[in-house]
Amino acid sequence: MRLTVNLEDDLGRDVRRLAEAQGISMSRLAGEAFSEYVRQLRRREFGQRVLDMAGRVVVAENADAVLEEGRCEDVERGGDDARI
C-alpha cells in the first residue's frame, strides 16, 4: 500500500539519518515503526480487557498450583520466561 506522510523537518531528518545508519529505506523504516506501534496498541488493549475482566472472573481454588506447575515446566524446558 502506498502512503504519503508529512513530517516536521527535524523528524524527517532524524528518520532519514536513522534509515541510512541502518542501511534500509525510509519506507521500510516507516513500515517497521508502524508495525511496532500497532503491536504495542494491541497489547495495551488486550491488557486493558484483561484488567477489566479481572474483577468479574471467578478464580479456581487451585489456580496457584496450576501456575506454579506451568512455571516449573518452563524451567524444565529452558523457556525464555522461566523463573526460579
Side-chain angles (χ1 to χ4, degrees), residues 6-44:
N6 292 312
L7 303 174
E8 300 271 337
D9 289 341
D10 290 343
L11 178 58
R13 282 189 290 273
D14 289 344
V15 168
R16 184 178 306 277
R17 281 189 214 117
L18 184 58
E20 288 173 357
Q22 292 189 12
I24 60 175
S25 68
M26 289 179 61
S27 292
R28 180 171 170 193
L29 179 66
E32 290 176 4
F34 284 133
S35 292
E36 178 63 18
Y37 182 76
V38 169
R39 187 186 67 78
Q40 287 181 15
L41 282 179
R42 287 181 179 156
R43 286 186 75 183
R44 271 190 241 134

Side-chain angles (χ1 to χ4, degrees), residues 42-57:
R42 287 181 179 156
R43 286 186 75 183
R44 271 190 241 134
E45 289 170 357
F46 175 75
Q48 187 59 53
R49 285 197 315 265
V50 169
L51 288 174
D52 291 345
M53 288 189 302
R56 297 184 299 229
V57 175

Side-chain angles (χ1 to χ4, degrees), residues 52-70:
D52 291 345
M53 288 189 302
R56 297 184 299 229
V57 175
V58 176
V59 178
E61 290 182 22
N62 67 338
D64 289 335
V66 171
L67 289 170
E68 188 59 34
E69 182 179 327

